[in-house]
Amino acid sequence: MSEANIFGHQALFEHVYKSAPIGIALVTIEGNWISVNPAACKMFGFTEKELLQQPATDYIYSDNVDSPEKLVQSLSEKVPTVALEKQFMHKDGRRIWASVHVSLVRDEKDKTPLFFISQMVDITDSKVAEQKLQESIERYTSLKKYNHDAIISFNLQGEIMNGNQMAEQLTGYTIPELAGKRISLLMGEHNLRRVLSDSAHYASVEKSINGIRHKDGHMVEVLATLAPIVIHNKNVGFYIIAKDMTEQKKLIIEKEAAEKTNKAKSEFLAMMSHEIRTPMNGVIGMTDLILDTDLDEEQREYVQIIKKSGTTLLNIINDILDFSKIESGRTELSEETFSLRNTLSETMNLMLPKALEKNIEVTTSVAPDVQDQVYGDMTKLRQVLMNLLSNAVKFTPNGSVSVSVTCIQTLQGSGLIQFSVTDTGIGVPSEKVAQLFEPFYQVDHYMTRQVEGTGLGLAICKKLVELMGGEIWYEPNPKQTGSVFTFTVQLKYPLVAVNEGEENPVQELDDAEGNAFKILIVEDNEVNQLVLKRIIEKLGYSSETVPNGLEAVEAYKRYPYDLIFMDIQMPFMDGMEAARIIKQSAPADKRPYVVAVTAHAIKGDREKYLAMGMDEYVSKPVSMQAVSEVIDIFRNTRMNSSTDGSTA
């Protein structure tokens, strides 16, 4: 009977051991394997043989208990089980979490420790969820704690639940003082009733919350946002997020006032400068006329003094007018192609008489790699050079003034050109350098200074140089007493530049062909048609015209043109669509060269039209130079294509 009971217990134990959904491992007191059940193998992804090759102690030890003796000591009748959570490596490389319960089996008679039983449950999913929840809580806590806006939560009964540190600063209350009070204390009973009565449309209510009542009674102007608190898909309350707008409003008002004042000042200066300059031109003109009459020596001296004073006053007025135009944002670049060396030479010639009066040597040097033909605002470049040269001559009692020009960076289609004006004059004290380019500033005090001027010259130079994409700075003359004023400007290079004396292979190609390539003008405006046609004729070519994109497509079917000047905005079919159809219908090796002709001249338009499939771009009003450059590019392209074809 007793044997049958024992057999029954063994069978039950074996069934539970093999069929239990939790992992079970039996480990000797020495820390060696006895056996593991199938659930443990499945949990870790190993076969029984593979798992038994792992250290058995990994499945019974904790971070604090790392020896059999310690583990036995920690287990007693009062503490039959040690529970811990451990991370294990699954066979596929991922980490899993398990809840491990280790117990000790003892001999029934003398209580001698026999072996350990480790029961393991996979808790990876719950652990990951717990970690995510903890991360969310920490992120929410950090967001609320360190947010620059006040955040206050309240329930559907209108009672304040919590708030952050900024809420204390905004309201003057501590959070314990606010907890349990009605939010209407801060936002008003009317706003609270609207939020609670129509919680689905809370967003419309937040617009009316433009103030929070402070503890001392005054209203703090805020920008408020309401956000529902949703738990288990149920709205249980709201957050009110309030941004203090006091400082922002103050800054906006101050900024607007400063802008209005600055604009009014600039407009007033521009108006007054213009009004004063008009009669001054009359004064100077009349003195010139008087000087051409018969005057005695004394009268001529008086009139020359009047003319010199008038000229000085006019220069001052011109400086003020220039500066006021720049300040009010009305100065724009007027770009054209010009000779850099000629511009420099002409500017130097204007300054030579004053330099010769003081016996000052004037020299120039232009680096060989500086391209002569450039595209930019010649007038403003000359104005900057004139100002710097005038200052150099003015502040140099004797010695020399020199101008050097170098190219410090070459980009695609443009160069960064550097100009340096060096003199051997009185120089600038180091403590005064920082204010050199400030408006109305002069190095020598106005009560003791020995030269005339407004103190606007260098400030104007700085504005103009920045307008031309460069910068300006001062350095002391490294060799002797004096100054070096250096500035850079970004100058574009013309599309085609053929040096004198070089053969022009493109021209040879045209001569060989007899200018035989075919040009089509697509333009809906009859005047613009005529202008472009006459320009092309003056350049030695013939052309045909059509009034819209639809007729351009038909014309190309009848006669395959080589070069098409395509207006963009036209009736029936615009230029972009016409260009697309024409290019698609043409053989790959005979596609026409299509030039976009448009009244749009905004920065970036050229790149936009080229990206949309056009080959080149010119803006209206169309100049002969622009058309000539486009034809030169076309001839270059055609010549290169012809050369490549023959080589192949």
Side-chain angles (χ1 to χ4, degrees):
M1 183 68 179
S2 61
E3 290 180 358
N5 288 337
I6 292 171
F7 178 78
H9 291 161
Q10 289 176 342
L12 179 62
F13 172 77
E14 185 176 352
H15 175 77
V16 171
Y17 182 73
K18 291 183 177 179
S19 304
I22 63 173
I24 301 173
L26 306 182
V27 181
T28 66
I29 295 299
E30 293 74 27
N32 299 316
W33 286 108
I34 298 175
S35 68
V36 292
N37 73 340
C41 297
K42 183 179 180 181
M43 182 187 303
F44 300 111
F46 295 104
T47 63
E48 183 179 356
K49 182 178 179 181
E50 290 171 335
L51 188 56
L52 293 178
Q53 291 175 352
Q54 305 290 327
T57 52
D58 286 353
Y59 299 87
I60 58 172
Y61 287 172
S62 67
D63 293 337
N64 299 323
V65 178
D66 55 3
S67 69
E69 294 79 12
K70 288 183 180 179
L71 187 55
V72 170
Q73 290 172 5
S74 62
L75 293 167
S76 63
E77 292 184 1
K78 292 183 179 180
V79 186
T81 305
V82 173
L84 59 132
E85 291 181 353
K86 281 193 74 171
Q87 210 175 22
F88 295 91
M89 185 68 74
H90 193 274
K91 183 180 179 180
D92 61 13
R94 60 188 172 90
R95 293 187 175 276
I96 63 172
W97 281 92
S99 175
V100 181
H101 295 262
V102 181
S103 57
L104 179 62
V105 178
R106 297 177 183 269
D107 187 275
E108 291 183 0
K109 294 181 180 179
D110 56 9
K111 303 302 180 182
T112 303
L114 299 177
F115 56 89
F116 299 107
I117 298 178
S118 177
Q119 302 174 63
M120 297 164 285
V121 178
D122 189 343
I123 59 169
T124 304
D125 292 341
S126 60
K127 195 71 176 177
V128 169
E130 178 187 333
Q131 289 176 340
K132 287 182 178 179
L133 177 61
Q134 184 61 32
E135 289 173 5
S136 297
I137 292 171
E138 290 175 0
R139 279 198 297 268
Y140 164 74
T141 304
S142 297
L143 178 65
K144 190 175 76 171
K145 182 177 179 181
Y146 298 107
N147 201 299
H148 294 294
D149 299 332
I151 303 175
I152 302 170
S153 58
F154 60 95
N155 58 28
L156 295 181
Q157 287 72 47
E159 297 170 345
I160 296 173
M161 296 186 290
N162 206 342
N164 65 350
Q165 186 177 349
M166 288 303 297
E168 294 184 335
Q169 294 184 25
L170 183 71
T171 64
Y173 295 96
T174 64
I175 296 305
E177 286 177 319
L178 286 174
K181 287 186 172 63
R182 288 179 65 76
I183 191 69
S184 57
L185 175 71
L186 306 176
M187 59 187 278
E189 190 64 40
H190 174 67
N191 287 329
L192 176 59
R193 281 201 303 270
R194 289 184 62 197
V195 173
L196 298 181
S197 63
D198 192 10
S199 58
H201 299 89
Y202 61 87
S204 62
V205 183
E206 66 186 22
K207 296 177 182 177
S208 64
I209 305 174
N210 50 28
I212 293 291
R213 187 172 297 280
H214 194 271
K215 184 178 182 179
D216 62 14
H218 80 276
M219 294 296 292
V220 180
E221 192 170 0
V222 299
L223 179 66
T225 304
L226 288 170
I229 302 173
V230 179
I231 299 176
H232 300 308
N233 297 320
K234 184 179 179 182
N235 185 8
V236 298
F238 288 92
Y239 292 110
I240 179 170
I241 305 165
K243 178 185 286 294
D244 188 346
M245 297 299 291
T246 306
E247 286 300 318
Q248 283 84 345
K249 285 279 186 179
K250 184 179 177 182
L251 290 173
I252 290 170
I253 292 170
E254 289 177 352
K255 180 175 178 289
E256 289 176 350
E259 287 175 349
K260 287 179 181 178
T261 302
N262 191 53
K263 184 179 179 182
K265 179 200 72 175
S266 297
E267 289 178 352
F268 175 77
L269 284 173
M271 180 186 69
M272 291 307 297
S273 298
H274 178 75
E275 293 298 322
I276 295 171
R277 189 171 63 168
T278 301
M280 282 308 305
N281 279 325
V283 171
I284 295 170
M286 290 307 294
T287 56
D288 285 335
L289 292 175
I290 294 172
L291 286 169
D292 284 338
T293 63
D294 293 330
L295 301 173
D296 60 38
E297 187 175 340
E298 185 179 4
Q299 289 172 329
R300 185 170 295 278
E301 181 182 356
Y302 292 162
V303 174
Q304 285 175 341
I305 291 172
I306 293 171
K307 182 179 178 181
K308 183 178 179 182
S309 299
T311 304
T312 301
L313 181 57
L314 186 60
N315 289 335
I316 292 171
I317 298 301
N318 285 338
D319 276 354
I320 295 172
L321 180 59
D322 282 343
F323 187 73
S324 62
K325 282 174 65 179
I326 293 169
E327 284 287 278
S328 60
R330 292 200 298 269
T331 300
E332 296 178 354
L333 293 177
S334 178
E335 297 182 313
E336 59 183 326
T337 300
F338 64 94
S339 167
L340 191 61
R341 286 170 174 80
N342 286 347
T343 300
L344 179 60
S345 177
E346 291 167 2
T347 307
M348 296 296 291
N349 287 338
L350 291 173
M351 295 306 305
L352 274 176
K354 289 185 179 180
L356 291 174
E357 284 180 14
K358 301 176 71 174
N359 199 27
I360 295 172
E361 180 186 4
V362 179
T363 59
T364 62
S365 67
V366 181
D369 62 340
V370 175
Q371 185 164 312
D372 185 50
Q373 292 295 315
V374 293
Y375 184 79
D377 195 320
M378 177 181 66
T379 303
K380 289 182 175 56
L381 176 61
R382 182 182 288 169
Q383 186 176 353
V384 174
L385 282 169
M386 278 289 293
N387 203 306
L388 295 180
L389 283 166
S390 177
N391 281 348
V393 172
K394 186 189 300 182
F395 292 103
T396 303
N398 54 70
S400 64
V401 172
S402 64
V403 181
S404 63
V405 185
T406 56
C407 180
I408 60 172
Q409 186 179 17
T410 300
L411 305 172
Q412 186 174 4
S414 67
L416 188 64
I417 310 300
Q418 179 173 292
F419 299 80
S420 292
V421 178
T422 305
D423 64 61
T424 59
I426 60 175
V428 178
S430 57
E431 68 273 11
K432 305 289 187 181
V433 171
Q435 290 83 33
L436 267 179
F437 298 98
E438 295 297 322
F440 307 107
Y441 179 80
Q442 291 172 318
V443 173
D444 51 340
H445 192 269
Y446 75 95
M447 291 296 288
T448 59
R449 63 191 179 89
Q450 300 176 1
V451 295
E452 299 169 337
T454 59
L456 285 172
L458 291 177
I460 292 172
C461 287
K462 184 174 186 292
K463 295 284 186 182
L464 293 178
V465 166
E466 289 173 351
L467 193 64
M468 292 186 284
E471 57 182 337
I472 186 169
W473 64 93
Y474 166 85
E475 294 172 331
N477 191 327
K479 297 180 180 178
Q480 54 189 306
T481 304
S483 303
V484 181
F485 283 89
T486 304
F487 70 94
T488 59
V489 291
Q490 194 79 40
L491 295 173
K492 300 173 187 173
Y493 296 148
L495 295 174
V496 177
V498 181
N499 294 329
E500 294 181 7
E502 290 185 0
E503 291 187 5
N504 188 345
V506 176
Q507 188 62 48
E508 289 178 3
L509 178 68
D510 285 345
D511 294 340
E513 291 182 345
N515 295 332
F517 59 81
K518 303 169 284 293
I519 301 175
L520 177 66
I521 300 170
V522 188
E523 171 64 65
D524 62 321
N525 184 285
E526 291 182 4
V527 175
N528 290 339
Q529 279 184 7
L530 185 61
V531 169
L532 191 50
K533 190 173 180 65
R534 290 289 182 267
I535 288 175
I536 291 172
E537 286 175 357
K538 286 182 179 293
L539 292 171
Y541 305 96
S542 60
S543 62
E544 300 295 331
T545 61
V546 292
N548 58 64
L550 201 59
E551 293 193 29
V553 173
E554 294 301 319
Y556 187 79
K557 289 179 182 177
R558 295 190 301 269
Y559 195 72
Y561 293 91
D562 301 302
L563 177 61
I564 301 176
F565 287 90
M566 182 76 74
D567 187 25
I568 297 300
Q569 292 184 337
M570 294 179 292
F572 305 113
M573 181 184 290
D574 64 52
M576 296 305 303
E577 180 66 13
R580 186 185 64 79
I581 294 172
I582 288 171
K583 287 203 169 193
Q584 283 183 347
S585 64
D589 58 339
K590 293 185 178 180
R591 283 179 182 155
Y593 195 85
V594 185
V595 182
V597 184
T598 173
H600 297 289
I602 300 171
K603 185 178 181 181
D605 273 350
R606 181 177 186 275
E607 291 74 14
K608 180 182 75 174
Y609 288 120
L610 294 185
M612 293 171 70
M614 293 296 193
D615 297 298
E616 196 45 72
Y617 161 91
V618 293
S619 62
K620 298 177 184 177
V622 178
S623 66
M624 184 178 293
Q625 180 179 342
V627 174
S628 176
E629 288 176 352
V630 165
I631 292 175
D632 285 344
I633 295 171
F634 162 69
R635 291 185 308 192
N636 268 327
T637 305
R638 187 169 180 176
M639 183 192 69
N640 292 336
S641 299
S642 175
T643 304
D644 292 343
S646 62
T647 303

